[in-house]
Amino acid sequence: QKEVEQNSGPLSVPEGAIASLNCTYSDRGSQSFFWYRQYSGKSPELIMSIYSNGDKEDGRFTAQLNKASQYVSLLIRDSQPSDSATYLCAVTSKTSYDKVIFGPGTSLSVIP
Amino acid sequence: EPEVTQTPSHQVTQMGQEVILRCVPISNHLYFYWYRQILGQKVEFLVSFYNNEISEKSEIFDDQFSVERPDGSNFTLKIRSTKLEDSAMYFCASSVERQRSRYFGAGTRLSVL
């Protein structure tokens, strides 16, 4: 079983819509969860982190964590063409906080 | 806003040569990391560094790789004898605490010919 899984996409949404990105992870003991955005040829850019079950909102972004289901998601409200990028889910290993494991990413395309 | 800086942005080298990639982490961060991303693949953890020693490394980080903090600001990754398969983007990152967010530099594109 892969450690961090994401749908590769591409996920296409119209401008102004809500984009929903999903991620599952295999290490039940994982404690820290991150969403990054990566534009082509660029480095990962932190969107938000989440550490406890429930929702966390930051502007147009909402992260949702369900440790029992080993599931973390990212909602992007009022999607803009500039949100078109690959979204990376990252999770700390249950054996080491030092090791953050990245998923393969979901490609998002926001259509004007 | 503080940021992680990496140099050079692009490094071209011949197979078998040594390369050193440089990074300046965010100044109040205590944990430093190297990741790599082969073109079209996912970001992979290489090594973490804290208190002047390696705290964790992946199976990718073999004897050809080493890291160093030669002074109070720089953090380096050395590849002793580069192979074609070392061609990738190498990202340096830093964090305040080990379980907190990693902030990434812009990366160094390493091309091994």
Side-chain angles (χ1 to χ4, degrees):
Chain A
Q1 184 181 8
K2 293 180 182 176
E3 293 173 292
V4 181
E5 296 196 60
Q6 299 179 253
N7 290 328
S8 61
L11 173 66
S12 292
V13 299
E15 184 175 355
I18 295 175
S20 178
L21 304 159
N22 304 315
C23 171
T24 58
Y25 59 95
S26 60
D27 279 355
R28 187 167 289 279
S30 296
Q31 295 293 325
S32 302
F33 307 86
F34 312 98
W35 282 100
Y36 287 86
R37 176 172 62 195
Q38 188 176 33
Y39 294 109
S40 181
K42 302 296 185 181
S43 62
E45 174 192 4
L46 180 71
I47 298 173
M48 61 195 308
S49 56
I50 186 167
Y51 305 102
S52 55
N53 282 329
D55 294 0
K56 180 181 178 182
E57 186 174 317
D58 184 359
R60 295 187 296 114
F61 301 97
T62 299
Q64 299 172 315
L65 174 62
N66 183 327
K67 290 185 180 180
S69 301
Q70 296 173 242
Y71 175 89
V72 58
S73 66
L74 180 71
L75 299 178
I76 307 174
R77 287 181 299 282
D78 189 23
S79 296
Q80 301 297 309
S82 58
D83 294 326
S84 298
T86 297
Y87 288 79
L88 309 177
C89 173
V91 176
T92 50
S93 164
K94 70 175 180 181
T95 57
S96 169
Y97 282 134
D98 290 331
K99 187 175 179 182
V100 167
I101 302 163
F102 281 79
T106 296
S107 175
L108 173 67
S109 179
V110 180
I111 311 302
Chain B
E1 185 173 318
E3 60 179 19
V4 176
T5 57
Q6 290 187 244
T7 54
S9 56
H10 190 192
Q11 175 84 52
V12 182
T13 189
Q14 296 290 324
M15 188 170 57
Q17 295 297 303
E18 174 183 289
V19 295
I20 297 176
L21 310 183
R22 292 182 166 80
C23 168
V24 178
I26 295 172
S27 61
N28 65 330
H29 286 188
L30 301 177
Y31 296 85
F32 315 127
Y33 313 90
W34 284 101
Y35 287 81
R36 80 172 185 190
Q37 187 174 31
I38 295 170
L39 186 64
Q41 298 187 23
K42 64 181 182 179
V43 176
E44 299 175 291
F45 170 80
L46 292 178
V47 66
S48 58
F49 191 86
Y50 170 71
N51 200 25
N52 281 321
E53 60 183 24
I54 291 173
S55 48
E56 182 82 25
K57 61 182 181 180
S58 72
E59 57 277 5
I60 302 169
F61 194 88
D62 61 22
D63 292 344
Q64 294 297 316
F65 292 88
S66 62
V67 290
E68 190 178 35
R69 187 156 164 82
D71 53 45
S73 59
N74 289 285
F75 178 51
T76 62
L77 174 69
K78 182 193 292 187
I79 309 176
R80 250 179 284 283
S81 178
T82 50
K83 308 184 193 76
L84 295 175
E85 55 264 36
D86 293 328
S87 295
M89 281 289 286
Y90 288 81
F91 296 113
C92 175
S94 66
S95 66
V96 173
E97 298 173 10
R98 54 164 33 115
Q99 67 269 37
R100 298 298 179 186
S101 304
R102 280 87 169 119
Y103 292 88
F104 283 76
T108 294
R109 179 173 301 282
L110 178 64
S111 300
V112 182
L113 306 179

